[in-house]
Amino acid sequence: DAMVIQNPRYQVTQFGKPVTLSCSQTLNHNVMYWYQQKSSQAPKLLFHYYDKDFNNEADTPDNFQSRRPNTSFCFLDIRSPGLGDAAMYLCATSRGGGGTSYEQYFGPGTRLTVT
Amino acid sequence: AQRVTQPEKLLSVFKGAPVELKCNYSYSGSPELFWYVQYSRQRLQLLLRHISRESIKGFTADLNKGETSFHLKKPFAQEEDSAMYYCALSYQGAQKLVFGQGTRLTINP
């Protein structure tokens, strides 16, 4: 089945220790997104890639970076995680173009714990 | 700025009763509205979008531009409808979503 895969599903890191979360997709979609979802809150968009074009949200902290080496993979790097960065991180993909917004396909998420 | 409001964090109804999940949005242009659902231990997935104007799993939603609302309705709730529901807004071509806070729907037997 074509899908969005996130690894690992659970990640524990120490305060200040860099961590990378991974997302891959078999849908061949142009657009890949990273969301942060804290407990009982809505998913909040951090940034997205339209092909190789990176689009950062204005309020995304500099501590969060992303890489998209090819169509299938996208990484979320947290350079110096703080306790406030503990959350579920969701990756999503969608088609792009056409002047309309397409359905987003979500991965299962990575739950990040910061100790 | 675009904003989506779901006024009810929790909603509980009995099986067979009608259900309505409220969603209001703030956007001055032509919005694209979606309902996403997350069942227990499953990933977030699209339930329906206003452009399609279709009924999915018995749910419908009508975009009311005058009231800036996109409420989700089902005439007879089923236990399998218990889930977290998110209303989301996109603006043409923006390729990104603004989510509401979500409503946890519980269907009691």
Side-chain angles (χ1 to χ4, degrees):
Chain A
D1 274 345
M3 56 197 301
V4 182
I5 302 160
Q6 290 188 245
N7 285 305
R9 296 290 306 276
Y10 301 90
Q11 176 73 57
V12 180
T13 191
Q14 292 178 331
F15 182 95
K17 185 174 181 182
V19 66
T20 294
L21 309 183
S22 167
C23 177
S24 64
Q25 54 129 343
T26 60
L27 296 159
N28 204 33
H29 281 166
N30 299 91
V31 193
M32 294 188 77
Y33 308 81
W34 279 105
Y35 291 88
Q36 180 192 64
Q37 187 177 24
K38 296 188 176 180
S39 182
S40 301
Q41 295 185 24
K44 180 179 176 298
L45 183 64
L46 295 173
F47 26 58
H48 72 281
Y49 275 94
Y50 193 130
D51 294 325
K52 294 185 177 182
D53 186 19
F54 179 69
N55 298 272
N56 198 27
E57 293 300 298
D59 57 354
T60 298
D62 293 341
N63 199 24
F64 291 84
Q65 305 283 317
S66 186
R67 297 169 282 137
R68 189 179 185 186
N70 53 52
T71 300
S72 301
F73 285 87
C74 195
F75 301 98
L76 169 62
D77 300 307
I78 308 177
R79 293 194 297 190
S80 181
L83 297 178
D85 297 328
M88 178 73 86
Y89 290 88
L90 300 173
C91 176
T93 73
S94 75
R95 292 169 56 194
T100 188
S101 296
Y102 293 98
E103 174 181 357
Q104 291 190 18
Y105 293 78
F106 284 82
T110 295
R111 184 167 295 283
L112 178 68
T113 301
V114 182
T115 61
Chain B
Q2 301 77 23
R3 192 162 63 187
V4 177
T5 302
Q6 294 179 250
E8 303 136 330
K9 291 191 78 171
L10 302 170
L11 183 62
S12 182
V13 301
F14 285 102
K15 177 182 173 182
V19 62
E20 180 179 48
L21 290 82
K22 290 184 168 49
C23 172
N24 290 90
Y25 66 90
S26 173
Y27 178 57
S28 57
S30 294
E32 296 183 52
L33 274 297
F34 304 79
W35 278 99
Y36 279 79
V37 61
Q38 189 166 27
Y39 301 102
S40 179
R41 297 190 187 87
Q42 294 187 28
R43 61 188 69 194
L44 196 57
Q45 59 188 288
L46 180 67
L47 180 62
L48 54 80
R49 55 188 301 179
H50 88 272
I51 288 178
S52 302
R53 300 187 64 83
E54 54 188 348
S55 172
I56 305 292
K57 299 185 178 183
F59 284 98
T60 59
D62 290 318
L63 177 60
N64 186 323
K65 291 188 177 181
E67 296 183 359
T68 60
S69 68
F70 188 57
H71 303 327
L72 183 68
K73 300 177 184 179
K74 185 170 182 176
F76 307 103
Q78 298 172 293
E79 288 185 66
E80 54 264 35
D81 296 328
S82 295
M84 191 73 177
Y85 290 80
Y86 292 96
C87 183
L89 174 150
S90 183
Y91 33 105
Q92 276 184 303
Q95 302 298 339
K96 55 185 183 179
L97 294 172
V98 175
F99 283 91
Q101 296 281 54
T103 297
R104 183 168 296 283
L105 176 64
T106 302
I107 308 301
N108 300 306

